[in-house]
Amino acid sequence: MLVVIIIILFISGLMLWSQWKLDKRFVVLGNTIPGPSGIPLVGNLFSVPHSGPAGLKYRRVLVKKYGHINRLWVGNMLAVCLSDAEDCEIVLKDTTHLTKSVIYNLLHSWLGTGLLTSSGEKWHKRRKAITPAFHFKILEEFIDIFNKNGNILIECLRNHCDGSTFNAQPLISRYALDVICETAMGTEINAQLHHNSNYVQAVTKMCELISERIRKPWLQNNFIYFLTGKHKQEQKLIKILHDQTNKVIKEKSHQMREDIHVGSFRDEEGVKRKVAFLELLLKMKMSGNSTFQSDNDIREEVDTFLFEGHDTTTAAIGFALILLSRHREVQEKIYEELVEVMDLQDSQKISYENLQLMKYLECVIKESLRLYPSVPLIGREIFEDLHLPSGYTVPAGTVLLISIYFLHRNEKYFPNPEEFNPDNFLPKNLSKRHPYAYVPFSAGPRNCIGQKFAMLELKSVLSKIIFNFIIDPSSDVWDVEEDPSLVFRCVGGHKIKLRPRK
């Protein structure tokens, strides 16, 4: 009852604030953009569904009725959603619209202000400093990590290889966590073998907590969040997560000081070797680089890549498996390609060169990310009026949302956009398409710095799964319920069936 009273008071306060705060020009410009009419003062607050699946259905109705630019009023807040490539390009490539929306503030307690959540000079400095960590030579060194953890996943999947339906999501999530911890932090947590560890459970629960808070707007109010007791739960999880990262940073710092002392930063041929993510950050700190002055600065980025490289990869693999289960002919075409490019005598070890030759598998992954982008929505704050090619002016103070989900399903760029068709990414079709019509890793200055890493990992793990198993659908009917939170989810998990490939 107390929570209900607080919610009512919060909405009442919002109404009064709306009446006092709005200026006429802002309202006029906002209302020129197509969108549903609302109740005075509160706008569309009561008509917008709070749950992820219902919210997506509501957004689908808005796009169908008002087109690929539409708006909602939530109290005095104007939210404008774009899903046309020409409009999206203006926002994504411009260096003045780089500040993420306030929803990303929910990540600050865990991630601080790392590359995902920071803006301004701090973001520019860190982006420039971190970019060398994703040099292709370093990415090549990660292939062994992909192979090792991918092979463990295959053995875990064999326990479900009896043709019965199971949820593959927990297994994929633990695989992705093993990979990102070993590549970003340089430490093995063996989540696939010891998934009852406090750290593994804390990562899983923290991601679930963030997702729930995004889906339920009332939990985004810090006072209400505190009253529910979830804040206390979050603090316990963050302590586990930060303690582990701090421990790894201290251990790696000690190891690197010893390496410097004995001069072991060179490979066997005496050539200065490339250093991976955590080592690169620590090396900058040791050299007096002002970008990373403390262990907390480093922890922000390590935790950021742990979050971004874990949940998003899990979603990408899971949705790809569901789509493949419904398209046996695509599986077989991938398998034929694998037979051509892989060393069949040593199929557990896929090389960097093998991955580069998997052209059709790459088309399949891209098409899967088109239909189910791991991050379905990008939010930006607009601090000055934005004039769009569609003819509308978005006033300063607007929360601008780029709907990657609906951009990728825009019939203007993709014929039969709801259908799974890997041929969409054949070279002959790519050349005809607007460059901003497909942005699963965002685009422009704030594009995903780890997209090449992600593509290599996806190729590696999916090729192993398809080489070893035939993937069957969980049922005769399409039973996927989409939940587009900060990271795209499938309600109830990613359910499939597996049979051994003979």
Side-chain angles (χ1 to χ4, degrees), residues 11 45 73 167-168 179 207 210 239 258 295 301-302 331 375 378 397 426 455-456 472 476 482 485 490:
I11 293 173
L45 181 65
W73 288 100
N167 179 12
V179 168
C207 289
I210 291 168
K239 185 178 186 307
E258 289 187 345
D295 285 354
E301 299 303 344
V302 172
Q331 287 186 59
V375 179
I378 298 173
L426 293 176
M455 184 57 74
L456 287 173
D472 291 323
D476 294 334
E482 305 162 349
S485 302
C490 182

Side-chain angles (χ1 to χ4, degrees), residues 216-457:
K216 300 175 180 177
W218 57 91
L219 292 180
Q220 294 168 25
N221 179 276
N222 289 332
F223 184 59
I224 295 174
Y225 189 60
F226 180 82
L227 290 178
T228 63
K230 293 182 182 295
H231 176 265
K232 187 175 181 180
Q233 180 187 357
E234 179 185 286
Q235 291 304 304
K236 289 181 180 179
L237 295 173
I238 287 172
K239 185 178 186 307
I240 295 171
L241 295 168
H242 283 178
D243 284 352
Q244 172 69 13
T245 310
N246 288 333
K247 178 185 174 186
V248 172
I249 289 171
K250 287 179 181 178
E251 290 174 351
K252 186 65 71 173
S253 297
H254 178 71
Q255 177 191 327
M256 287 180 66
R257 281 192 289 270
E258 289 187 345
D259 287 345
I260 292 171
H261 180 70
V262 299
S264 64
F265 270 104
R266 296 180 178 275
D267 62 19
E268 294 177 358
E269 298 177 358
V271 179
K272 188 176 180 182
R273 68 175 175 84
K274 297 280 184 184
V275 290
F277 189 61
L278 177 55
E279 290 182 56
L280 177 74
L281 306 188
L282 287 170
K283 193 176 180 186
M284 283 191 280
K285 180 195 166 192
M286 292 175 181
S287 66
N289 188 308
S290 61
T291 306
F292 296 100
Q293 298 179 345
S294 68
D295 285 354
N296 282 345
D297 291 333
I298 293 171
R299 192 192 67 212
E300 284 182 339
E301 299 303 344
V302 172
D303 284 342
T304 292
F305 278 87
L306 175 67
F307 170 72
E308 287 197 279
H310 163 240
D311 239 17
T312 54
T313 304
T314 300
I317 297 168
F319 279 113
L321 292 178
I322 288 174
L323 288 168
L324 285 168
S325 74
R326 302 277 169 177
H327 296 85
R328 178 67 184 278
E329 74 285 356
V330 175
Q331 287 186 59
E332 296 311 309
K333 195 168 179 180
I334 295 171
Y335 181 75
E336 290 170 8
E337 180 179 70
L338 297 180
V339 170
E340 288 182 12
V341 305
M342 284 172 55
D343 180 359
L344 301 185
Q345 301 303 314
D346 192 8
S347 60
Q348 289 191 325
K349 188 174 182 181
I350 301 173
S351 69
Y352 181 80
E353 290 74 21
N354 292 153
L355 296 176
Q356 299 306 308
L357 294 172
M358 296 177 186
K359 300 298 183 183
Y360 184 69
L361 176 56
E362 185 170 321
C363 290
V364 171
I365 292 170
K366 287 180 175 179
E367 176 68 354
S368 178
L369 288 172
R370 180 185 73 81
L371 288 169
Y372 299 105
S374 295
V375 179
L377 197 70
I378 298 173
R380 297 283 174 88
E381 290 187 39
I382 302 299
F383 297 107
E384 58 185 57
D385 288 358
L386 177 65
H387 305 287
L388 297 173
S390 56
Y392 297 99
T393 296
V394 179
T398 300
V399 173
L400 194 66
L401 304 171
I402 295 176
S403 176
I404 297 177
Y405 179 89
F406 288 108
L407 172 64
H408 287 180
R409 292 169 186 252
N410 190 329
E411 61 282 352
K412 188 170 160 183
Y413 312 111
F414 297 97
N416 303 313
E418 300 292 331
E419 293 182 9
F420 176 69
N421 179 17
D423 288 355
N424 279 323
F425 293 92
L426 293 176
K428 64 180 181 180
N429 294 323
L430 283 172
S431 60
K432 306 173 191 173
R433 194 174 301 134
H434 192 290
Y436 281 77
Y438 177 74
V439 290
F441 298 101
S442 187
R446 288 209 77 145
N447 69 340
C448 175
I449 197 172
Q451 59 185 288
K452 291 182 180 178
F453 172 96
M455 184 57 74
L456 287 173
E457 182 182 355

Side-chain angles (χ1 to χ4, degrees), residues 2-16 223:
L2 178 62
V3 173
V4 173
I5 293 171
I6 291 169
I7 291 173
I8 293 171
L9 290 173
F10 174 69
I11 293 173
S12 301
L14 184 63
M15 291 169 64
L16 292 173
F223 184 59

Side-chain angles (χ1 to χ4, degrees), residues 87-118:
D87 285 346
C88 294
E89 179 182 12
I90 294 297
V91 181
L92 292 173
K93 75 177 184 181
D94 199 309
T95 56
T96 60
H97 307 299
L98 299 177
T99 302
K100 296 290 185 75
S101 69
V102 293
I103 199 74
Y104 290 86
N105 294 345
L106 302 179
L107 301 170
H108 283 177
S109 57
W110 179 15
L111 309 181
T113 49
L115 205 58
L116 175 65
T117 54
S118 60

Side-chain angles (χ1 to χ4, degrees), residues 470-497:
I470 294 170
I471 311 162
D472 291 323
S474 58
S475 67
D476 294 334
V477 295
W478 181 254
D479 56 354
V480 174
E481 189 175 10
E482 305 162 349
D483 181 4
S485 302
L486 188 63
V487 174
F488 216 130
R489 296 180 181 276
C490 182
V491 177
H494 300 105
K495 296 176 182 177
I496 56 171
K497 297 176 183 177

